[in-house]
Amino acid sequence: MKAAVIGLGAMGMGAAQSLLRAGIETTGYDIVEEVLDQFAAEGGGRADAAAAAVKGADVVLVFLLNAQQVRSVLFGSRDGAVAAADLGTVFVLNATMGPAEAEALADDLLAAGMQVIDAPVSGGREKAAAGDLTLIASGADAAFDRALPVLEAISSRIIRLGETPGSAARVKMINQLLAGVHTAAMAEAMVLAARDGLDLKVVHDVVSESTGQSRMFESRGQQVAEGAYTPHSSVDIVRKDLGLVAAMAGDLDLPLLRHALALFEDAAAGGLGRQADACIARLLAERAGVELPEKG
Amino acid sequence: MKAAVIGLGAMGMGAAQSLLRAGIETTGYDIVEEVLDQFAAEGGGRADAAAAAVKGADVVLVFLLNAQQVRSVLFGSRDGAVAAADLGTVFVLNATMGPAEAEALADDLLAAGMQVIDAPVSGGREKAAAGDLTLIASGADAAFDRALPVLEAISSRIIRLGETPGSAARVKMINQLLAGVHTAAMAEAMVLAARDGLDLKVVHDVVSESTGQSRMFESRGQQVAEGAYTPHSSVDIVRKDLGLVAAMAGDLDLPLLRHALALFEDAAAGGLGRQADACIARLLAERAGVELPEKG
């Protein structure tokens, strides 16, 4: 069993390391030299091109940022990874992307004689490093059978969503809708609480144990309460994800989604794109003339 | 130690039963004869008027629906419970109400020689019955010292928020903002998922374990996925709560709050007021021509 990982960012690197720990021969590729060096130092294979990475691989994990990157690396004239792969290689699409893009990529991979699993991940950097990702995955049984050792090495939970690539991307979009709206709701709640002079740490503690709890309020609300904005995810990433959800929704009017997206677009336009997503609380606070806690 | 409970609805009855279990002599009052009969059958004292219930009580729990009811029962010409209470009786305000109303009631109780604790509860019917409510409570130390056996009998967690009644109501409002927005976000997410043909039970399962999780998505999302709408809370109650939050926010513009409130107002105007709060998913689905699961 040979695996390749294209894209050694926070998530891809963790997955690649998990494969090495599981004893699976793994070659990595990234455009950043330093991460290739790091992976090679840890015992991984080092490829200087995507096509070289996938050569002879049974399973290829694609951990890129978006569908455009994936298409370019798989089918572009420069990288052309698919052209270099053996027929029947299983391509696992781990990036968060719109379902239309996931379906189009899957169609093109199948047409090129490859197998494909649409498998967006959740869990963040630490879980990736620990091999504890959650995979939502759709694809043919044969592809699953072949890729299973790889999928099990990087994840602690695999939720299968049928044989049609694209279903997993759709469920992931539903999750991103909620995560983004909850982050925006956290910002509204914390700015209101701050304006009224409440102790945000107490608010965070109480709400996290009550009916207003959300995973995002627990995590991002704590950042706002402490004034310490750790970029687990950025304004740009949430803006991108909510934009994909809005594109998927099409003419279905979802006002909370629309306003959460507008908030992240405003934040990005205001230069906060690379900041932690919780920084939209700062944007709301500034607009309202409210002071939030700042660490130090 | 003698206690009184005014309002034996789902929450008040559970609290009153918890007091009996703790060996605290407790008199109940409600306008509904049947619940008085039930409480008397369980060993509770039965009062046919609020004034009779509070006579000789050390601590009075007020479990009414809103501030208007509380003011009427405590200070109205018909009920006049405060006029019948001993000086120094501790009134515990358990209803969810706007902070301005909580502060005004507290001021009037203090002016009448009473003690007061602002103590909105969370936890629902089952936790009330089990004595496992969470109390967010603000009030003077002396009032807490006297009321402590009663508060401990009805709750498994008491979060003290300083000596000024009204602080607890403000924190409760922050929680209600989030709970209401999360319920509306659940509706948007489930209607989008249903339109795209996803299995809502799978969506519920995946999101509940991922970054889109919220307490409301877990609870209300399950109702939508199963097509079984159990009225833990109603459209009217959420509409009322979000209206109180909007009043508290005043000129602070919070678009998600505003749109969630509009959705619950539309649902109430459409005759869904007494339905389960999760029914706003049905409203969105109907508007969009999307079918949601229906049980049976």
Side-chain angles (χ1 to χ4, degrees):
Chain A
M1 164 69 67
K2 290 172 69 173
V5 179
I6 298 180
L8 296 172
M11 306 293 283
M13 179 62 89
Q17 291 167 331
S18 300
L19 291 173
L20 292 184
R21 274 202 311 278
I24 296 171
E25 186 184 337
T26 304
T27 301
Y29 169 67
D30 198 283
I31 51 169
V32 179
E33 287 283 331
E34 288 75 17
V35 300
L36 281 179
D37 295 342
Q38 181 195 339
F39 188 56
E42 295 181 13
R46 178 197 170 107
D48 290 320
V54 307
K55 212 175 291 274
D58 299 281
V59 181
V60 179
L61 303 182
V62 187
F63 270 98
L64 297 168
L65 192 62
N66 56 43
Q68 289 71 27
Q69 285 188 2
V70 175
R71 178 161 292 285
S72 167
V73 168
L74 295 188
F75 295 106
S77 55
R78 197 177 66 89
D79 289 303
V82 168
D86 296 335
L87 285 179
T89 298
V90 183
F91 282 81
V92 183
L93 306 177
N94 297 109
T96 294
M97 58 180 96
E101 290 88 347
E103 284 159 8
L105 281 164
D107 286 348
D108 293 344
L109 282 162
L110 293 170
M114 304 295 151
Q115 302 188 77
V116 58
I117 297 174
D118 160 35
V121 302
S122 60
R125 179 193 300 257
E126 292 80 11
K127 296 214 167 183
D132 277 345
L133 291 169
T134 295
L135 295 181
I136 321 171
S138 45
D141 287 342
F144 267 93
D145 289 346
R146 187 159 181 207
L148 200 61
V150 166
L151 301 181
E152 287 185 339
I154 68 169
S155 68
S156 54
R157 187 162 186 229
I158 302 170
I159 301 165
R160 287 208 46 182
L161 293 179
E163 302 229 5
T164 314
S167 301
R170 278 180 205 282
V171 173
K172 176 79 179 179
M173 287 293 109
I174 302 297
N175 184 74
Q176 301 314 90
L177 184 166
L178 288 160
V181 169
H182 293 171
T183 303
M186 176 284 295
E188 293 193 357
M190 285 305 208
V191 169
L192 176 57
R195 191 207 60 182
D196 281 14
L198 297 173
D199 181 331
L200 298 195
K201 289 183 184 175
V202 171
V203 170
H204 180 258
D205 178 46
V206 171
V207 172
S208 294
E209 297 287 325
S210 189
T211 53
Q213 178 272 353
S214 73
R215 194 76 64 91
M216 282 296 142
F217 184 83
E218 286 189 30
S219 154
R220 278 32 171 193
Q222 184 170 8
Q223 295 185 11
V224 176
E226 294 177 351
Y229 294 80
T230 314
H232 293 303
S233 179
S234 69
V235 166
D236 271 343
I237 288 176
V238 179
R239 179 179 58 87
K240 179 202 73 159
D241 286 355
L242 290 179
L244 291 173
V245 182
M248 168 175 156
D251 60 1
L252 180 60
D253 182 38
L254 304 174
L256 298 192
L257 166 64
R258 185 155 39 81
H259 284 274
L261 174 56
L263 191 62
F264 281 96
E265 284 175 339
D266 289 351
L272 295 174
R274 285 157 177 266
Q275 303 293 311
D277 53 11
C279 285
I280 58 159
R282 283 175 162 160
L283 176 75
L284 273 186
E286 198 180 340
R287 281 183 187 169
V290 171
E291 278 201 27
L292 292 176
E294 288 296 337
K295 192 164 189 174
Chain B
M1 165 70 66
K2 290 173 68 174
V5 179
I6 298 180
L8 296 171
M11 306 293 283
M13 177 63 89
Q17 291 166 332
S18 301
L19 292 173
L20 292 183
R21 275 201 311 278
I24 295 171
E25 187 183 336
T26 304
T27 300
Y29 170 67
D30 197 285
I31 52 169
V32 179
E33 287 282 329
E34 288 75 15
V35 299
L36 281 179
D37 294 342
Q38 181 195 338
F39 187 58
E42 296 182 12
R46 179 196 170 110
D48 291 319
V54 306
K55 212 174 289 275
D58 299 280
V59 180
V60 179
L61 302 181
V62 187
F63 271 99
L64 298 167
L65 190 62
N66 55 43
Q68 291 70 27
Q69 284 187 4
V70 175
R71 179 161 291 283
S72 167
V73 168
L74 295 188
F75 294 106
S77 56
R78 199 176 64 90
D79 289 303
V82 168
D86 295 336
L87 285 179
T89 298
V90 183
F91 282 82
V92 183
L93 305 177
N94 297 109
T96 294
M97 58 179 97
E101 291 87 346
E103 284 158 7
L105 280 163
D107 286 347
D108 293 345
L109 281 162
L110 292 169
M114 303 297 153
Q115 302 188 77
V116 59
I117 297 174
D118 161 35
V121 302
S122 60
R125 179 193 299 259
E126 292 80 10
K127 296 216 165 179
D132 278 345
L133 291 170
T134 295
L135 295 181
I136 320 170
S138 45
D141 287 344
F144 267 93
D145 290 346
R146 187 160 182 206
L148 200 61
V150 166
L151 301 181
E152 288 185 336
I154 67 170
S155 68
S156 53
R157 187 161 187 230
I158 302 170
I159 300 164
R160 286 206 50 182
L161 293 179
E163 302 229 5
T164 314
S167 301
R170 279 181 206 279
V171 173
K172 176 78 179 182
M173 287 292 108
I174 301 296
N175 184 73
Q176 301 314 92
L177 184 168
L178 288 160
V181 169
H182 292 171
T183 303
M186 176 282 296
E188 292 193 357
M190 285 305 209
V191 169
L192 176 57
R195 192 207 58 182
D196 281 13
L198 297 174
D199 181 330
L200 298 195
K201 289 182 183 175
V202 171
V203 170
H204 181 258
D205 179 45
V206 171
V207 172
S208 294
E209 296 288 325
S210 189
T211 53
Q213 179 274 354
S214 73
R215 193 75 65 90
M216 281 295 140
F217 184 84
E218 286 191 29
S219 153
R220 277 32 171 195
Q222 183 169 8
Q223 295 185 11
V224 176
E226 294 178 350
Y229 294 79
T230 314
H232 293 302
S233 180
S234 68
V235 165
D236 272 343
I237 287 175
V238 179
R239 179 177 58 85
K240 179 202 72 160
D241 286 356
L242 290 179
L244 290 173
V245 182
M248 170 176 155
D251 59 3
L252 180 60
D253 183 38
L254 303 174
L256 298 191
L257 167 64
R258 187 155 39 84
H259 283 274
L261 175 57
L263 191 63
F264 281 96
E265 284 175 340
D266 289 352
L272 296 174
R274 285 159 178 265
Q275 302 294 311
D277 52 12
C279 286
I280 58 159
R282 283 174 160 160
L283 176 73
L284 273 187
E286 198 180 341
R287 283 182 185 169
V290 170
E291 277 201 29
L292 292 175
E294 288 296 336
K295 191 164 188 173

mmCIF file of all heavy atoms in Angstrom, chain B residues 239-277:
data_model
loop_
_atom_site.group_PDB
_atom_site.id
_atom_site.type_symbol
_atom_site.label_atom_id
_atom_site.label_comp_id
_atom_site.label_asym_id
_atom_site.label_seq_id
_atom_site.Cartn_x
_atom_site.Cartn_y
_atom_site.Cartn_z
ATOM 1 N N ARG B 239 -40.355 33.936 20.503
ATOM 2 C CA ARG B 239 -40.664 35.277 19.988
ATOM 3 C C ARG B 239 -40.635 36.301 21.126
ATOM 4 O O ARG B 239 -40.029 37.374 21.005
ATOM 5 C CB ARG B 239 -42.055 35.265 19.339
ATOM 6 C CG ARG B 239 -42.500 36.609 18.793
ATOM 7 C CD ARG B 239 -43.850 36.497 18.103
ATOM 8 N NE ARG B 239 -44.892 35.998 18.981
ATOM 9 C CZ ARG B 239 -45.621 36.746 19.813
ATOM 10 N NH1 ARG B 239 -45.425 38.050 19.865
ATOM 11 N NH2 ARG B 239 -46.552 36.210 20.583
ATOM 12 N N LYS B 240 -41.234 35.935 22.250
ATOM 13 C CA LYS B 240 -41.231 36.836 23.406
ATOM 14 C C LYS B 240 -39.800 37.096 23.870
ATOM 15 O O LYS B 240 -39.390 38.238 24.089
ATOM 16 C CB LYS B 240 -42.039 36.204 24.550
ATOM 17 C CG LYS B 240 -42.087 37.049 25.807
ATOM 18 C CD LYS B 240 -42.396 36.212 27.060
ATOM 19 C CE LYS B 240 -41.231 35.333 27.464
ATOM 20 N NZ LYS B 240 -41.245 34.855 28.853
ATOM 21 N N ASP B 241 -39.018 36.021 24.000
ATOM 22 C CA ASP B 241 -37.642 36.177 24.504
ATOM 23 C C ASP B 241 -36.793 37.021 23.554
ATOM 24 O O ASP B 241 -36.054 37.904 23.991
ATOM 25 C CB ASP B 241 -36.990 34.802 24.706
ATOM 26 C CG ASP B 241 -37.536 34.083 25.936
ATOM 27 O OD1 ASP B 241 -38.351 34.685 26.667
ATOM 28 O OD2 ASP B 241 -37.154 32.923 26.164
ATOM 29 N N LEU B 242 -36.896 36.735 22.266
ATOM 30 C CA LEU B 242 -36.087 37.507 21.313
ATOM 31 C C LEU B 242 -36.545 38.969 21.288
ATOM 32 O O LEU B 242 -35.724 39.877 21.083
ATOM 33 C CB LEU B 242 -36.160 36.891 19.910
ATOM 34 C CG LEU B 242 -35.443 35.542 19.739
ATOM 35 C CD1 LEU B 242 -35.611 35.016 18.312
ATOM 36 C CD2 LEU B 242 -33.954 35.656 20.089
ATOM 37 N N GLY B 243 -37.841 39.189 21.506
ATOM 38 C CA GLY B 243 -38.335 40.561 21.610
ATOM 39 C C GLY B 243 -37.731 41.284 22.811
ATOM 40 O O GLY B 243 -37.358 42.463 22.729
ATOM 41 N N LEU B 244 -37.602 40.558 23.933
ATOM 42 C CA LEU B 244 -36.965 41.158 25.115
ATOM 43 C C LEU B 244 -35.494 41.481 24.836
ATOM 44 O O LEU B 244 -34.987 42.519 25.254
ATOM 45 C CB LEU B 244 -37.057 40.196 26.307
ATOM 46 C CG LEU B 244 -38.446 39.970 26.911
ATOM 47 C CD1 LEU B 244 -38.382 38.859 27.969
ATOM 48 C CD2 LEU B 244 -39.009 41.245 27.534
ATOM 49 N N VAL B 245 -34.818 40.580 24.125
ATOM 50 C CA VAL B 245 -33.411 40.843 23.793
ATOM 51 C C VAL B 245 -33.313 42.064 22.888
ATOM 52 O O VAL B 245 -32.442 42.927 23.082
ATOM 53 C CB VAL B 245 -32.759 39.626 23.098
ATOM 54 C CG1 VAL B 245 -31.286 39.921 22.813
ATOM 55 C CG2 VAL B 245 -32.877 38.367 23.935
ATOM 56 N N ALA B 246 -34.204 42.139 21.892
ATOM 57 C CA ALA B 246 -34.168 43.278 20.974
ATOM 58 C C ALA B 246 -34.412 44.580 21.739
ATOM 59 O O ALA B 246 -33.778 45.605 21.462
ATOM 60 C CB ALA B 246 -35.197 43.092 19.865
ATOM 61 N N ALA B 247 -35.323 44.537 22.705
ATOM 62 C CA ALA B 247 -35.583 45.737 23.517
ATOM 63 C C ALA B 247 -34.346 46.093 24.327
ATOM 64 O O ALA B 247 -33.990 47.277 24.462
ATOM 65 C CB ALA B 247 -36.782 45.491 24.435
ATOM 66 N N MET B 248 -33.686 45.087 24.876
ATOM 67 C CA MET B 248 -32.449 45.329 25.630
ATOM 68 C C MET B 248 -31.365 45.894 24.707
ATOM 69 O O MET B 248 -30.610 46.792 25.090
ATOM 70 C CB MET B 248 -31.993 44.015 26.269
ATOM 71 C CG MET B 248 -30.602 44.025 26.893
ATOM 72 S SD MET B 248 -30.279 42.408 27.720
ATOM 73 C CE MET B 248 -28.477 42.331 27.691
ATOM 74 N N ALA B 249 -31.282 45.396 23.480
ATOM 75 C CA ALA B 249 -30.248 45.860 22.542
ATOM 76 C C ALA B 249 -30.491 47.304 22.124
ATOM 77 O O ALA B 249 -29.546 48.056 21.885
ATOM 78 C CB ALA B 249 -30.209 44.958 21.313
ATOM 79 N N GLY B 250 -31.766 47.693 22.054
ATOM 80 C CA GLY B 250 -32.084 49.080 21.721
ATOM 81 C C GLY B 250 -31.537 49.459 20.359
ATOM 82 O O GLY B 250 -31.840 48.812 19.361
ATOM 83 N N ASP B 251 -30.688 50.492 20.303
ATOM 84 C CA ASP B 251 -30.190 50.941 18.995
ATOM 85 C C ASP B 251 -28.926 50.202 18.551
ATOM 86 O O ASP B 251 -28.311 50.583 17.559
ATOM 87 C CB ASP B 251 -29.957 52.457 18.992
ATOM 88 C CG ASP B 251 -28.951 52.872 20.054
ATOM 89 O OD1 ASP B 251 -28.408 51.981 20.748
ATOM 90 O OD2 ASP B 251 -28.710 54.081 20.190
ATOM 91 N N LEU B 252 -28.532 49.173 19.285
ATOM 92 C CA LEU B 252 -27.417 48.329 18.829
ATOM 93 C C LEU B 252 -27.948 47.395 17.749
ATOM 94 O O LEU B 252 -28.806 46.559 18.019
ATOM 95 C CB LEU B 252 -26.855 47.530 20.013
ATOM 96 C CG LEU B 252 -25.670 46.594 19.725
ATOM 97 C CD1 LEU B 252 -24.471 47.365 19.193
ATOM 98 C CD2 LEU B 252 -25.279 45.830 20.985
ATOM 99 N N ASP B 253 -27.450 47.557 16.523
ATOM 100 C CA ASP B 253 -27.985 46.761 15.411
ATOM 101 C C ASP B 253 -27.346 45.379 15.378
ATOM 102 O O ASP B 253 -26.136 45.247 15.200
ATOM 103 C CB ASP B 253 -27.739 47.476 14.076
ATOM 104 C CG ASP B 253 -28.351 46.678 12.924
ATOM 105 O OD1 ASP B 253 -29.443 46.104 13.123
ATOM 106 O OD2 ASP B 253 -27.723 46.615 11.853
ATOM 107 N N LEU B 254 -28.175 44.359 15.564
ATOM 108 C CA LEU B 254 -27.709 42.970 15.552
ATOM 109 C C LEU B 254 -28.527 42.224 14.501
ATOM 110 O O LEU B 254 -29.624 41.730 14.783
ATOM 111 C CB LEU B 254 -27.892 42.348 16.946
ATOM 112 C CG LEU B 254 -27.188 43.106 18.088
ATOM 113 C CD1 LEU B 254 -27.555 42.502 19.444
ATOM 114 C CD2 LEU B 254 -25.670 43.121 17.903
ATOM 115 N N PRO B 255 -28.012 42.127 13.276
ATOM 116 C CA PRO B 255 -28.836 41.622 12.163
ATOM 117 C C PRO B 255 -29.325 40.187 12.342
ATOM 118 O O PRO B 255 -30.455 39.873 11.949
ATOM 119 C CB PRO B 255 -27.909 41.708 10.946
ATOM 120 C CG PRO B 255 -26.707 42.468 11.359
ATOM 121 C CD PRO B 255 -26.689 42.598 12.846
ATOM 122 N N LEU B 256 -28.514 39.311 12.925
ATOM 123 C CA LEU B 256 -28.982 37.926 13.077
ATOM 124 C C LEU B 256 -30.135 37.875 14.072
ATOM 125 O O LEU B 256 -31.133 37.184 13.854
ATOM 126 C CB LEU B 256 -27.845 37.009 13.527
ATOM 127 C CG LEU B 256 -26.646 36.885 12.576
ATOM 128 C CD1 LEU B 256 -25.739 35.742 13.009
ATOM 129 C CD2 LEU B 256 -27.074 36.678 11.143
ATOM 130 N N LEU B 257 -29.993 38.603 15.170
ATOM 131 C CA LEU B 257 -31.093 38.696 16.134
ATOM 132 C C LEU B 257 -32.348 39.227 15.446
ATOM 133 O O LEU B 257 -33.442 38.667 15.596
ATOM 134 C CB LEU B 257 -30.701 39.626 17.289
ATOM 135 C CG LEU B 257 -31.847 40.070 18.200
ATOM 136 C CD1 LEU B 257 -32.450 38.887 18.932
ATOM 137 C CD2 LEU B 257 -31.381 41.134 19.183
ATOM 138 N N ARG B 258 -32.185 40.284 14.676
ATOM 139 C CA ARG B 258 -33.321 40.928 14.016
ATOM 140 C C ARG B 258 -34.040 39.952 13.086
ATOM 141 O O ARG B 258 -35.279 39.865 13.097
ATOM 142 C CB ARG B 258 -32.786 42.137 13.243
ATOM 143 C CG ARG B 258 -33.806 43.024 12.624
ATOM 144 C CD ARG B 258 -33.277 44.468 12.412
ATOM 145 N NE ARG B 258 -31.895 44.565 11.978
ATOM 146 C CZ ARG B 258 -31.467 44.477 10.712
ATOM 147 N NH1 ARG B 258 -32.332 44.239 9.733
ATOM 148 N NH2 ARG B 258 -30.193 44.615 10.419
ATOM 149 N N HIS B 259 -33.276 39.204 12.317
ATOM 150 C CA HIS B 259 -33.909 38.300 11.354
ATOM 151 C C HIS B 259 -34.476 37.049 12.016
ATOM 152 O O HIS B 259 -35.484 36.514 11.559
ATOM 153 C CB HIS B 259 -32.927 37.957 10.237
ATOM 154 C CG HIS B 259 -32.802 39.079 9.258
ATOM 155 N ND1 HIS B 259 -33.654 39.222 8.191
ATOM 156 C CD2 HIS B 259 -31.977 40.143 9.229
ATOM 157 C CE1 HIS B 259 -33.341 40.318 7.532
ATOM 158 N NE2 HIS B 259 -32.315 40.904 8.136
ATOM 159 N N ALA B 260 -33.841 36.584 13.070
ATOM 160 C CA ALA B 260 -34.417 35.448 13.800
ATOM 161 C C ALA B 260 -35.747 35.872 14.426
ATOM 162 O O ALA B 260 -36.747 35.146 14.344
ATOM 163 C CB ALA B 260 -33.444 34.951 14.871
ATOM 164 N N LEU B 261 -35.770 37.053 15.020
ATOM 165 C CA LEU B 261 -37.016 37.559 15.613
ATOM 166 C C LEU B 261 -38.101 37.684 14.544
ATOM 167 O O LEU B 261 -39.254 37.287 14.767
ATOM 168 C CB LEU B 261 -36.752 38.913 16.294
ATOM 169 C CG LEU B 261 -37.970 39.642 16.853
ATOM 170 C CD1 LEU B 261 -38.732 38.783 17.858
ATOM 171 C CD2 LEU B 261 -37.549 40.971 17.513
ATOM 172 N N ALA B 262 -37.733 38.220 13.378
ATOM 173 C CA ALA B 262 -38.720 38.375 12.298
ATOM 174 C C ALA B 262 -39.317 37.027 11.904
ATOM 175 O O ALA B 262 -40.527 36.915 11.652
ATOM 176 C CB ALA B 262 -38.072 39.047 11.090
ATOM 177 N N LEU B 263 -38.482 36.010 11.889
ATOM 178 C CA LEU B 263 -38.951 34.681 11.520
ATOM 179 C C LEU B 263 -39.964 34.164 12.544
ATOM 180 O O LEU B 263 -41.028 33.632 12.170
ATOM 181 C CB LEU B 263 -37.752 33.734 11.421
ATOM 182 C CG LEU B 263 -37.987 32.377 10.799
ATOM 183 C CD1 LEU B 263 -38.414 32.519 9.347
ATOM 184 C CD2 LEU B 263 -36.713 31.533 10.887
ATOM 185 N N PHE B 264 -39.657 34.327 13.825
ATOM 186 C CA PHE B 264 -40.591 33.859 14.852
ATOM 187 C C PHE B 264 -41.861 34.714 14.863
ATOM 188 O O PHE B 264 -42.953 34.207 15.133
ATOM 189 C CB PHE B 264 -39.910 33.836 16.229
ATOM 190 C CG PHE B 264 -39.019 32.634 16.422
ATOM 191 C CD1 PHE B 264 -37.649 32.714 16.188
ATOM 192 C CD2 PHE B 264 -39.548 31.416 16.803
ATOM 193 C CE1 PHE B 264 -36.834 31.603 16.337
ATOM 194 C CE2 PHE B 264 -38.736 30.294 16.957
ATOM 195 C CZ PHE B 264 -37.375 30.387 16.722
ATOM 196 N N GLU B 265 -41.720 35.997 14.546
ATOM 197 C CA GLU B 265 -42.919 36.851 14.461
ATOM 198 C C GLU B 265 -43.796 36.421 13.295
ATOM 199 O O GLU B 265 -45.021 36.358 13.420
ATOM 200 C CB GLU B 265 -42.506 38.327 14.316
ATOM 201 C CG GLU B 265 -42.035 38.926 15.631
ATOM 202 C CD GLU B 265 -41.510 40.352 15.484
ATOM 203 O OE1 GLU B 265 -41.157 40.747 14.350
ATOM 204 O OE2 GLU B 265 -41.435 41.058 16.518
ATOM 205 N N ASP B 266 -43.162 36.123 12.169
ATOM 206 C CA ASP B 266 -43.933 35.644 11.015
ATOM 207 C C ASP B 266 -44.655 34.341 11.349
ATOM 208 O O ASP B 266 -45.811 34.139 10.962
ATOM 209 C CB ASP B 266 -43.002 35.405 9.814
ATOM 210 C CG ASP B 266 -42.495 36.704 9.214
ATOM 211 O OD1 ASP B 266 -42.969 37.781 9.627
ATOM 212 O OD2 ASP B 266 -41.604 36.646 8.337
ATOM 213 N N ALA B 267 -43.943 33.459 12.046
ATOM 214 C CA ALA B 267 -44.548 32.167 12.397
ATOM 215 C C ALA B 267 -45.743 32.374 13.311
ATOM 216 O O ALA B 267 -46.796 31.746 13.133
ATOM 217 C CB ALA B 267 -43.506 31.263 13.057
ATOM 218 N N ALA B 268 -45.610 33.256 14.292
ATOM 219 C CA ALA B 268 -46.717 33.525 15.211
ATOM 220 C C ALA B 268 -47.887 34.150 14.458
ATOM 221 O O ALA B 268 -49.053 33.776 14.660
ATOM 222 C CB ALA B 268 -46.247 34.438 16.347
ATOM 223 N N ALA B 269 -47.566 35.095 13.566
ATOM 224 C CA ALA B 269 -48.628 35.743 12.779
ATOM 225 C C ALA B 269 -49.342 34.725 11.889
ATOM 226 O O ALA B 269 -50.524 34.891 11.579
ATOM 227 C CB ALA B 269 -48.039 36.870 11.933
ATOM 228 N N GLY B 270 -48.624 33.683 11.502
ATOM 229 C CA GLY B 270 -49.214 32.638 10.664
ATOM 230 C C GLY B 270 -49.926 31.561 11.460
ATOM 231 O O GLY B 270 -50.285 30.517 10.908
ATOM 232 N N GLY B 271 -50.118 31.782 12.771
ATOM 233 C CA GLY B 271 -50.910 30.852 13.569
ATOM 234 C C GLY B 271 -50.110 29.729 14.215
ATOM 235 O O GLY B 271 -50.671 28.795 14.773
ATOM 236 N N LEU B 272 -48.780 29.821 14.170
ATOM 237 C CA LEU B 272 -47.947 28.754 14.739
ATOM 238 C C LEU B 272 -47.484 29.043 16.173
ATOM 239 O O LEU B 272 -46.648 28.307 16.711
ATOM 240 C CB LEU B 272 -46.700 28.538 13.857
ATOM 241 C CG LEU B 272 -46.922 28.031 12.427
ATOM 242 C CD1 LEU B 272 -45.611 28.016 11.646
ATOM 243 C CD2 LEU B 272 -47.525 26.619 12.456
ATOM 244 N N GLY B 273 -48.025 30.099 16.787
ATOM 245 C CA GLY B 273 -47.513 30.561 18.078
ATOM 246 C C GLY B 273 -47.409 29.492 19.151
ATOM 247 O O GLY B 273 -46.444 29.451 19.906
ATOM 248 N N ARG B 274 -48.417 28.613 19.224
ATOM 249 C CA ARG B 274 -48.405 27.606 20.284
ATOM 250 C C ARG B 274 -47.695 26.326 19.879
ATOM 251 O O ARG B 274 -47.598 25.385 20.669
ATOM 252 C CB ARG B 274 -49.847 27.269 20.691
ATOM 253 C CG ARG B 274 -50.465 28.371 21.531
ATOM 254 C CD ARG B 274 -51.981 28.322 21.514
ATOM 255 N NE ARG B 274 -52.517 29.372 22.382
ATOM 256 C CZ ARG B 274 -52.865 29.173 23.643
ATOM 257 N NH1 ARG B 274 -52.755 27.979 24.175
ATOM 258 N NH2 ARG B 274 -53.340 30.170 24.366
ATOM 259 N N GLN B 275 -47.217 26.281 18.653
ATOM 260 C CA GLN B 275 -46.493 25.085 18.195
ATOM 261 C C GLN B 275 -45.066 25.094 18.761
ATOM 262 O O GLN B 275 -44.572 26.109 19.243
ATOM 263 C CB GLN B 275 -46.422 25.083 16.662
ATOM 264 C CG GLN B 275 -47.773 25.113 15.990
ATOM 265 C CD GLN B 275 -48.581 23.855 16.230
ATOM 266 O OE1 GLN B 275 -48.071 22.766 16.047
ATOM 267 N NE2 GLN B 275 -49.823 23.996 16.676
ATOM 268 N N ALA B 276 -44.427 23.935 18.650
ATOM 269 C CA ALA B 276 -43.032 23.805 19.062
ATOM 270 C C ALA B 276 -42.171 24.813 18.294
ATOM 271 O O ALA B 276 -42.418 25.079 17.121
ATOM 272 C CB ALA B 276 -42.534 22.392 18.791
ATOM 273 N N ASP B 277 -41.149 25.359 18.970
ATOM 274 C CA ASP B 277 -40.327 26.383 18.320
ATOM 275 C C ASP B 277 -39.664 25.868 17.042
ATOM 276 O O ASP B 277 -39.434 26.637 16.103
ATOM 277 C CB ASP B 277 -39.293 26.969 19.300
ATOM 278 C CG ASP B 277 -38.464 25.910 20.001
ATOM 279 O OD1 ASP B 277 -38.497 24.731 19.596
ATOM 280 O OD2 ASP B 277 -37.774 26.272 20.977
#
